[in-house]
Amino acid sequence: MQARLENMGLRAGKTVTRLSSMPSGGPIMVECGGTRLALGRGIAQHVRVREVAQRTESGTDRDE
Amino acid sequence: MADTGIGGDTELATPDDTRVLLVGNPNVGKSVVFSRLTGVGTMCSNYPGTTVEFLEGSMRLAGERVPVIDVPGTYGLSATCPAEDVACRILEDGGVIVNVIDATNLERNLALTLQLRQRPLRMVVALNLWDETRHRGIHIDAERLSELLGVPVVPTSAVAGVGIKDLVGAIEQVAASETPEVLEPGDVWCRLGTIIEEVQQLEHRHHTWRDMLEDITIKPVTGIPFGVLALLAAFAMVRFFGETVIAYVMEPLFETLWRPVVTALSEALGGAGFIHDLLVGSYVLIDGVRTLDFVQSFGLLTTGLFVVFGMVMPYVTAFYFVLGLMEDVGYLPRLALLLDRVMHRLGLHGYAVIPILLAFGCNVPGILATRVLDTRRERFIAATLISVGVPCAALQAMIFALLGPYGIQYVLLVYGILVIVWFVLGTVLRLTSRDFLPEIILEIPSYRRPSFRTLWQKLAMRLRGFFREAVPVVFLGVVVIDLIYMTGAFELIARVAGPMMESLFGLPPETALAIAVGFLRKDVAIGMLAPLDLSAIQLVKSSVMLALTFPCIATYAVMLRELGWLDTLKATGLMLTIALVAGVAMNLAL
Ligand SMILES: Nc1nc2c(ncn2[C@@H]2O[C@H](COP(=O)(O)OP(=O)(O)OP(=O)(O)O)[C@@H](O)[C@H]2O)c(=O)[nH]1
Ligand SMILES: [Mg+2]
């Protein structure tokens, strides 16, 4: 799963911006390095992020 | 109506060193490049996963014809999902690689390029969507990129055909040369960073219409109302266009130009008899007048032609036009995001919205498109839901035609019942799948202004598909129905199945025959209901039954191929059960 997200552009050390989140545990949409992704909440929860100002930056991008 | 065209299976051709493989991330324009290189029309849309099958064509290279293969898009070579697995396997068998990349998203696209460069492959990079970089203030030094990668890099704008000549030149040159040295394995991401830094410059971007539209369509507060409105508008547009063309073009054409021909033919054939009834159909009483009717007479030249051209084609055209627009603008992935929660109720996730929407045109491409889903389980659920509960455009057109005159509320009732059945079936499917939690991972491409050329090409391809596959089967259906009536087999069927139809569903025995014919084609089957003098409610009931029971034969064929016979059998069992339950429930409730 991690490899898949990396190939899709979501990698450790990159800045991710949350563009939108659907209500009641729905998916979220993020932007990272010019790629926009829709991610299920379950997956998104495994992406560790560190807050940077009003932005968010992914620290270690790990699952499970 | 398999609109994905040529080449069905993943096992393709023989390994061949001269062939050209188009490889790249999803949605970067591989299929557009493919059709530019080969002249073969392809489906191209603004969402990842448009191409799910290998397509093969050929091009001239240094005076020789060589095969060109459009490989389904892949994000990496690590085979993390079935689609990638397939793409990886084809690389093993040799050929010249054309790595198509999206110039507006170098970083992610180059990740695949670097992975490819770690294998001994002859390859060219097509820096596609070059035209888009200008609008977005992206500057890329293609020459430097080529030096760093050690392979030729050609900027292209495939939709406009710009750069294709240079690309062909580069392919020729690479095909004739030795395999370049592979990049030594190392940290792909690290190397990526340095390359990007060196070749790409970004200007400050202004807020554009894209960003505005993006905001409106993905924030839940505005996005959900927008989505509902967009779908309603799409439905209204299809309905309006279909109805208008039928009422003001098709019907007048048939009445003024075609009726005299048919009447003359009927007279020449003596007004009755086997050949007569087969060709122009039998006379029916309409408002007390004995006449040939384009809907009810059931001749090849009356009902056969009229169903195809006068009833179904206008709607199919309108549907595919509107769908093509939504596809090319890039709205469908947003819809997937918005509907993700809803789809979870059915044991699926948002991405499944795309195959399901395609299925509203024709179930066959819809079921093919379920290949974008990751697991077998999801594919089974999606294919079952499609074959049972998604009426194709032809079926919907006929429902409009027959029920419309009684009032829109009856048409809506049919859709309402189908939605209920859908959620019941979906819930059953979800609950019966253990330890299974599908989650959406979907790239959302940027909005693009649709190109008139791709829109038109796509519409033409889909319509051609419709005529090729629909016309023969509609005609076959008409002949079968005529034969059933003429041989008296009809009485037999009615006697056997009639009491059941009567007592269980409250429908006249003739409807049993319509359901059987529905196996061939749904539109002809609904047409059979026209002469029966059914009440509006009975029409609603039988339309729903027709939609639910056996998908047409083309859908069956593709299900067998995609799911295997065991799962197809399971789907059939579910379908029969749910149709029975729904039929009885409707009989009790309506
Ligand atoms: N502006 C512009 N649009 C392009 C260009 N090339 C492709 N497109 C558009 O990009 C979208 C994707 O093109 P496709 O050819 O379907 O992409 P693909 O790589 O085959 O995608 P998959 O089959 O999903 O892997 C379509 O809407 C095209 O019209 C280009 O050079 N410029
Ligand atoms: Mg494609």
Side-chain angles (χ1 to χ4, degrees), chain B residues 25-32 43-51 70 72-73 128-132 156-159 328 448 454:
Chain B
N25 284 177
N27 207 40
V28 296
K30 295 178 298 298
S31 297
V32 183
M43 281 293 151
C44 312
S45 310
N46 192 8
Y47 59 81
T50 311
T51 310
D70 184 10
N128 196 36
L129 289 137
W130 189 247
D131 51 325
E132 290 269 312
T156 57
S157 304
V159 166
D328 287 5
R448 275 181 204 141
T454 24

mmCIF file of all heavy atoms in Angstrom, chain B residues 25-32 43-51 70 72-73 128-132 156-159 328 448 454, ligand 1:
data_model
loop_
_atom_site.group_PDB
_atom_site.id
_atom_site.type_symbol
_atom_site.label_atom_id
_atom_site.label_comp_id
_atom_site.label_asym_id
_atom_site.label_seq_id
_atom_site.Cartn_x
_atom_site.Cartn_y
_atom_site.Cartn_z
ATOM 1 N N ASN B 25 1.628 6.644 -16.732
ATOM 2 C CA ASN B 25 0.614 6.793 -15.692
ATOM 3 C C ASN B 25 -0.766 6.831 -16.332
ATOM 4 O O ASN B 25 -0.890 7.147 -17.518
ATOM 5 C CB ASN B 25 0.815 8.109 -14.936
ATOM 6 C CG ASN B 25 1.971 8.055 -13.947
ATOM 7 O OD1 ASN B 25 2.285 9.034 -13.312
ATOM 8 N ND2 ASN B 25 2.614 6.915 -13.811
ATOM 9 N N PRO B 26 -1.805 6.536 -15.568
ATOM 10 C CA PRO B 26 -3.155 6.695 -16.104
ATOM 11 C C PRO B 26 -3.438 8.157 -16.477
ATOM 12 O O PRO B 26 -2.879 9.065 -15.854
ATOM 13 C CB PRO B 26 -4.045 6.270 -14.939
ATOM 14 C CG PRO B 26 -3.195 5.375 -14.106
ATOM 15 C CD PRO B 26 -1.810 5.927 -14.227
ATOM 16 N N ASN B 27 -4.272 8.335 -17.461
ATOM 17 C CA ASN B 27 -4.790 9.653 -17.815
ATOM 18 C C ASN B 27 -3.739 10.668 -18.283
ATOM 19 O O ASN B 27 -3.872 11.853 -18.038
ATOM 20 C CB ASN B 27 -5.562 10.246 -16.625
ATOM 21 C CG ASN B 27 -6.612 11.214 -17.087
ATOM 22 O OD1 ASN B 27 -7.276 10.977 -18.092
ATOM 23 N ND2 ASN B 27 -6.757 12.313 -16.390
ATOM 24 N N VAL B 28 -2.690 10.213 -18.951
ATOM 25 C CA VAL B 28 -1.684 11.141 -19.450
ATOM 26 C C VAL B 28 -1.796 11.350 -20.954
ATOM 27 O O VAL B 28 -1.048 12.129 -21.536
ATOM 28 C CB VAL B 28 -0.257 10.665 -19.129
ATOM 29 C CG1 VAL B 28 -0.043 10.632 -17.630
ATOM 30 C CG2 VAL B 28 0.022 9.307 -19.739
ATOM 31 N N GLY B 29 -2.728 10.625 -21.590
ATOM 32 C CA GLY B 29 -2.922 10.800 -23.022
ATOM 33 C C GLY B 29 -2.338 9.678 -23.874
ATOM 34 O O GLY B 29 -2.143 9.856 -25.073
ATOM 35 N N LYS B 30 -2.093 8.522 -23.271
ATOM 36 C CA LYS B 30 -1.548 7.402 -24.050
ATOM 37 C C LYS B 30 -2.467 7.013 -25.199
ATOM 38 O O LYS B 30 -2.016 6.772 -26.316
ATOM 39 C CB LYS B 30 -1.339 6.163 -23.159
ATOM 40 C CG LYS B 30 -0.315 6.344 -22.086
ATOM 41 C CD LYS B 30 -0.200 5.106 -21.214
ATOM 42 C CE LYS B 30 -1.487 4.781 -20.492
ATOM 43 N NZ LYS B 30 -1.919 5.821 -19.564
ATOM 44 N N SER B 31 -3.752 6.981 -24.900
ATOM 45 C CA SER B 31 -4.686 6.549 -25.941
ATOM 46 C C SER B 31 -4.775 7.563 -27.068
ATOM 47 O O SER B 31 -4.965 7.196 -28.227
ATOM 48 C CB SER B 31 -6.064 6.281 -25.343
ATOM 49 O OG SER B 31 -5.975 5.233 -24.412
ATOM 50 N N VAL B 32 -4.650 8.842 -26.734
ATOM 51 C CA VAL B 32 -4.659 9.852 -27.789
ATOM 52 C C VAL B 32 -3.411 9.695 -28.657
ATOM 53 O O VAL B 32 -3.478 9.736 -29.888
ATOM 54 C CB VAL B 32 -4.731 11.282 -27.209
ATOM 55 C CG1 VAL B 32 -4.814 12.295 -28.319
ATOM 56 C CG2 VAL B 32 -5.917 11.429 -26.273
ATOM 57 N N MET B 43 -11.048 5.123 -27.136
ATOM 58 C CA MET B 43 -11.758 5.856 -26.108
ATOM 59 C C MET B 43 -10.758 6.641 -25.279
ATOM 60 O O MET B 43 -9.834 6.065 -24.720
ATOM 61 C CB MET B 43 -12.442 4.867 -25.163
ATOM 62 C CG MET B 43 -13.710 4.322 -25.715
ATOM 63 S SD MET B 43 -14.911 5.656 -25.832
ATOM 64 C CE MET B 43 -15.853 5.038 -27.189
ATOM 65 N N CYS B 44 -10.934 7.954 -25.211
ATOM 66 C CA CYS B 44 -10.052 8.763 -24.384
ATOM 67 C C CYS B 44 -10.926 9.635 -23.505
ATOM 68 O O CYS B 44 -11.797 10.325 -24.011
ATOM 69 C CB CYS B 44 -9.179 9.667 -25.240
ATOM 70 S SG CYS B 44 -8.394 8.815 -26.601
ATOM 71 N N SER B 45 -10.712 9.591 -22.208
ATOM 72 C CA SER B 45 -11.500 10.417 -21.297
ATOM 73 C C SER B 45 -10.625 10.946 -20.189
ATOM 74 O O SER B 45 -9.587 10.373 -19.902
ATOM 75 C CB SER B 45 -12.616 9.603 -20.650
ATOM 76 O OG SER B 45 -13.337 8.913 -21.606
ATOM 77 N N ASN B 46 -11.114 12.011 -19.563
ATOM 78 C CA ASN B 46 -10.339 12.631 -18.501
ATOM 79 C C ASN B 46 -10.609 11.976 -17.152
ATOM 80 O O ASN B 46 -11.167 12.590 -16.262
ATOM 81 C CB ASN B 46 -10.653 14.128 -18.462
ATOM 82 C CG ASN B 46 -9.690 14.889 -17.588
ATOM 83 O OD1 ASN B 46 -8.705 14.328 -17.126
ATOM 84 N ND2 ASN B 46 -9.980 16.142 -17.333
ATOM 85 N N TYR B 47 -10.264 10.714 -17.035
ATOM 86 C CA TYR B 47 -10.192 10.065 -15.723
ATOM 87 C C TYR B 47 -9.277 8.862 -15.838
ATOM 88 O O TYR B 47 -9.138 8.300 -16.914
ATOM 89 C CB TYR B 47 -11.581 9.653 -15.209
ATOM 90 C CG TYR B 47 -12.359 8.701 -16.081
ATOM 91 C CD1 TYR B 47 -12.113 7.330 -16.062
ATOM 92 C CD2 TYR B 47 -13.362 9.175 -16.918
ATOM 93 C CE1 TYR B 47 -12.843 6.459 -16.848
ATOM 94 C CE2 TYR B 47 -14.085 8.306 -17.708
ATOM 95 C CZ TYR B 47 -13.828 6.952 -17.666
ATOM 96 O OH TYR B 47 -14.544 6.102 -18.447
ATOM 97 N N PRO B 48 -8.621 8.515 -14.734
ATOM 98 C CA PRO B 48 -7.707 7.374 -14.807
ATOM 99 C C PRO B 48 -8.490 6.089 -15.019
ATOM 100 O O PRO B 48 -9.563 5.916 -14.442
ATOM 101 C CB PRO B 48 -7.023 7.380 -13.437
ATOM 102 C CG PRO B 48 -7.807 8.262 -12.553
ATOM 103 C CD PRO B 48 -8.604 9.165 -13.415
ATOM 104 N N GLY B 49 -7.963 5.207 -15.854
ATOM 105 C CA GLY B 49 -8.616 3.920 -16.057
ATOM 106 C C GLY B 49 -9.571 3.882 -17.229
ATOM 107 O O GLY B 49 -10.483 3.073 -17.256
ATOM 108 N N THR B 50 -9.400 4.767 -18.202
ATOM 109 C CA THR B 50 -10.259 4.713 -19.386
ATOM 110 C C THR B 50 -9.964 3.449 -20.182
ATOM 111 O O THR B 50 -10.867 2.765 -20.640
ATOM 112 C CB THR B 50 -10.000 5.927 -20.298
ATOM 113 O OG1 THR B 50 -10.020 7.103 -19.526
ATOM 114 C CG2 THR B 50 -11.041 5.991 -21.387
ATOM 115 N N THR B 51 -8.667 3.183 -20.358
ATOM 116 C CA THR B 51 -8.294 1.987 -21.104
ATOM 117 C C THR B 51 -8.052 0.867 -20.111
ATOM 118 O O THR B 51 -7.192 0.987 -19.243
ATOM 119 C CB THR B 51 -6.995 2.235 -21.888
ATOM 120 O OG1 THR B 51 -7.130 3.437 -22.624
ATOM 121 C CG2 THR B 51 -6.711 1.087 -22.827
ATOM 122 N N ASP B 70 -1.382 -0.125 -26.864
ATOM 123 C CA ASP B 70 -1.770 0.848 -25.850
ATOM 124 C C ASP B 70 -1.970 0.080 -24.549
ATOM 125 O O ASP B 70 -2.906 -0.681 -24.409
ATOM 126 C CB ASP B 70 -3.075 1.529 -26.284
ATOM 127 C CG ASP B 70 -3.502 2.620 -25.324
ATOM 128 O OD1 ASP B 70 -2.718 2.982 -24.427
ATOM 129 O OD2 ASP B 70 -4.634 3.120 -25.483
ATOM 130 N N PRO B 72 -2.767 -0.386 -20.559
ATOM 131 C CA PRO B 72 -3.508 0.336 -19.524
ATOM 132 C C PRO B 72 -2.555 1.081 -18.599
ATOM 133 O O PRO B 72 -1.455 0.613 -18.332
ATOM 134 C CB PRO B 72 -4.224 -0.786 -18.769
ATOM 135 C CG PRO B 72 -4.348 -1.896 -19.752
ATOM 136 C CD PRO B 72 -3.136 -1.804 -20.626
ATOM 137 N N GLY B 73 -2.984 2.247 -18.127
ATOM 138 C CA GLY B 73 -2.109 3.095 -17.325
ATOM 139 C C GLY B 73 -1.646 2.450 -16.030
ATOM 140 O O GLY B 73 -2.354 1.660 -15.423
ATOM 141 N N ASN B 128 3.946 14.730 -22.906
ATOM 142 C CA ASN B 128 2.635 15.087 -23.445
ATOM 143 C C ASN B 128 1.955 16.187 -22.622
ATOM 144 O O ASN B 128 2.429 16.555 -21.557
ATOM 145 C CB ASN B 128 1.756 13.838 -23.492
ATOM 146 C CG ASN B 128 0.544 14.017 -24.365
ATOM 147 O OD1 ASN B 128 0.608 14.685 -25.399
ATOM 148 N ND2 ASN B 128 -0.578 13.445 -23.956
ATOM 149 N N LEU B 129 0.850 16.680 -23.165
ATOM 150 C CA LEU B 129 0.099 17.779 -22.547
ATOM 151 C C LEU B 129 0.963 19.037 -22.485
ATOM 152 O O LEU B 129 0.852 19.858 -21.581
ATOM 153 C CB LEU B 129 -0.393 17.399 -21.133
ATOM 154 C CG LEU B 129 -1.512 16.365 -21.136
ATOM 155 C CD1 LEU B 129 -1.292 15.324 -20.083
ATOM 156 C CD2 LEU B 129 -2.860 17.045 -20.945
ATOM 157 N N TRP B 130 1.870 19.128 -23.462
ATOM 158 C CA TRP B 130 2.803 20.243 -23.542
ATOM 159 C C TRP B 130 2.057 21.565 -23.622
ATOM 160 O O TRP B 130 2.459 22.577 -23.052
ATOM 161 C CB TRP B 130 3.688 20.032 -24.772
ATOM 162 C CG TRP B 130 4.843 20.973 -24.894
ATOM 163 C CD1 TRP B 130 4.997 21.931 -25.846
ATOM 164 C CD2 TRP B 130 6.005 21.025 -24.060
ATOM 165 N NE1 TRP B 130 6.178 22.592 -25.654
ATOM 166 C CE2 TRP B 130 6.824 22.052 -24.559
ATOM 167 C CE3 TRP B 130 6.420 20.319 -22.937
ATOM 168 C CZ2 TRP B 130 8.046 22.393 -23.985
ATOM 169 C CZ3 TRP B 130 7.636 20.649 -22.359
ATOM 170 C CH2 TRP B 130 8.429 21.678 -22.887
ATOM 171 N N ASP B 131 0.936 21.559 -24.340
ATOM 172 C CA ASP B 131 0.131 22.779 -24.464
ATOM 173 C C ASP B 131 -0.354 23.273 -23.108
ATOM 174 O O ASP B 131 -0.431 24.470 -22.850
ATOM 175 C CB ASP B 131 -1.066 22.539 -25.395
ATOM 176 C CG ASP B 131 -1.871 21.303 -25.005
ATOM 177 O OD1 ASP B 131 -1.264 20.317 -24.535
ATOM 178 O OD2 ASP B 131 -3.094 21.316 -25.169
ATOM 179 N N GLU B 132 -0.645 22.325 -22.208
ATOM 180 C CA GLU B 132 -1.171 22.708 -20.888
ATOM 181 C C GLU B 132 -0.115 23.406 -20.029
ATOM 182 O O GLU B 132 -0.447 24.203 -19.165
ATOM 183 C CB GLU B 132 -1.669 21.468 -20.145
ATOM 184 C CG GLU B 132 -2.916 20.866 -20.739
ATOM 185 C CD GLU B 132 -4.178 21.440 -20.113
ATOM 186 O OE1 GLU B 132 -4.243 21.502 -18.884
ATOM 187 O OE2 GLU B 132 -5.075 21.827 -20.875
ATOM 188 N N THR B 156 5.039 16.738 -26.776
ATOM 189 C CA THR B 156 3.898 16.509 -27.678
ATOM 190 C C THR B 156 2.636 17.128 -27.093
ATOM 191 O O THR B 156 2.506 17.257 -25.886
ATOM 192 C CB THR B 156 3.614 15.002 -27.867
ATOM 193 O OG1 THR B 156 3.374 14.412 -26.584
ATOM 194 C CG2 THR B 156 4.750 14.272 -28.544
ATOM 195 N N SER B 157 1.736 17.515 -27.992
ATOM 196 C CA SER B 157 0.360 17.837 -27.589
ATOM 197 C C SER B 157 -0.512 16.933 -28.433
ATOM 198 O O SER B 157 -0.912 17.289 -29.536
ATOM 199 C CB SER B 157 0.020 19.290 -27.883
ATOM 200 O OG SER B 157 0.951 20.123 -27.254
ATOM 201 N N ALA B 158 -0.765 15.772 -27.911
ATOM 202 C CA ALA B 158 -1.354 14.713 -28.727
ATOM 203 C C ALA B 158 -2.713 15.087 -29.298
ATOM 204 O O ALA B 158 -3.031 14.752 -30.434
ATOM 205 C CB ALA B 158 -1.456 13.430 -27.913
ATOM 206 N N VAL B 159 -3.528 15.793 -28.513
ATOM 207 C CA VAL B 159 -4.865 16.120 -28.986
ATOM 208 C C VAL B 159 -4.802 16.961 -30.259
ATOM 209 O O VAL B 159 -5.564 16.767 -31.196
ATOM 210 C CB VAL B 159 -5.672 16.839 -27.890
ATOM 211 C CG1 VAL B 159 -6.907 17.486 -28.463
ATOM 212 C CG2 VAL B 159 -6.066 15.854 -26.803
ATOM 213 N N ASP B 328 -14.896 14.157 -20.389
ATOM 214 C CA ASP B 328 -13.753 14.930 -20.869
ATOM 215 C C ASP B 328 -13.448 16.146 -20.008
ATOM 216 O O ASP B 328 -12.306 16.557 -19.887
ATOM 217 C CB ASP B 328 -13.956 15.330 -22.333
ATOM 218 C CG ASP B 328 -13.779 14.132 -23.242
ATOM 219 O OD1 ASP B 328 -13.604 13.023 -22.694
ATOM 220 O OD2 ASP B 328 -13.802 14.278 -24.475
ATOM 221 N N ARG B 448 -10.374 19.887 -17.549
ATOM 222 C CA ARG B 448 -9.851 20.304 -18.848
ATOM 223 C C ARG B 448 -10.989 20.749 -19.733
ATOM 224 O O ARG B 448 -12.091 20.225 -19.638
ATOM 225 C CB ARG B 448 -9.150 19.125 -19.536
ATOM 226 C CG ARG B 448 -7.740 18.993 -19.089
ATOM 227 C CD ARG B 448 -7.026 17.853 -19.789
ATOM 228 N NE ARG B 448 -5.937 17.438 -18.922
ATOM 229 C CZ ARG B 448 -5.564 16.192 -18.719
ATOM 230 N NH1 ARG B 448 -6.176 15.217 -19.347
ATOM 231 N NH2 ARG B 448 -4.584 15.906 -17.917
ATOM 232 N N THR B 454 -12.037 15.075 -29.805
ATOM 233 C CA THR B 454 -12.178 13.822 -29.047
ATOM 234 C C THR B 454 -13.641 13.538 -28.740
ATOM 235 O O THR B 454 -14.077 12.388 -28.817
ATOM 236 C CB THR B 454 -11.425 13.842 -27.693
ATOM 237 O OG1 THR B 454 -11.261 15.177 -27.271
ATOM 238 C CG2 THR B 454 -10.096 13.158 -27.795
HETATM 239 N N1 LIG C 1 -4.858 19.618 -23.610
HETATM 240 C C1 LIG C 1 -4.445 18.375 -23.892
HETATM 241 N N2 LIG C 1 -5.218 17.340 -23.505
HETATM 242 C C2 LIG C 1 -4.790 16.090 -23.783
HETATM 243 C C3 LIG C 1 -3.559 15.845 -24.462
HETATM 244 N N3 LIG C 1 -3.410 14.511 -24.585
HETATM 245 C C4 LIG C 1 -4.486 13.949 -24.004
HETATM 246 N N4 LIG C 1 -5.335 14.892 -23.530
HETATM 247 C C5 LIG C 1 -6.590 14.652 -22.805
HETATM 248 O O1 LIG C 1 -6.252 13.928 -21.646
HETATM 249 C C6 LIG C 1 -7.267 13.017 -21.291
HETATM 250 C C7 LIG C 1 -6.694 11.634 -21.103
HETATM 251 O O2 LIG C 1 -6.319 11.070 -22.338
HETATM 252 P P1 LIG C 1 -6.301 9.482 -22.569
HETATM 253 O O3 LIG C 1 -5.671 9.253 -23.891
HETATM 254 O O4 LIG C 1 -7.642 8.890 -22.317
HETATM 255 O O5 LIG C 1 -5.325 9.023 -21.419
HETATM 256 P P2 LIG C 1 -4.717 7.572 -21.175
HETATM 257 O O6 LIG C 1 -3.303 7.771 -20.816
HETATM 258 O O7 LIG C 1 -5.024 6.657 -22.308
HETATM 259 O O8 LIG C 1 -5.517 7.176 -19.866
HETATM 260 P P3 LIG C 1 -5.888 5.705 -19.313
HETATM 261 O O9 LIG C 1 -6.459 4.931 -20.426
HETATM 262 O O10 LIG C 1 -6.895 6.014 -18.242
HETATM 263 O O11 LIG C 1 -4.649 5.129 -18.746
HETATM 264 C C8 LIG C 1 -8.311 13.097 -22.390
HETATM 265 O O12 LIG C 1 -9.381 13.882 -21.911
HETATM 266 C C9 LIG C 1 -7.566 13.767 -23.527
HETATM 267 O O13 LIG C 1 -8.453 14.508 -24.343
HETATM 268 C C10 LIG C 1 -2.762 16.988 -24.862
HETATM 269 O O14 LIG C 1 -1.689 16.874 -25.438
HETATM 270 N N5 LIG C 1 -3.262 18.219 -24.547
#
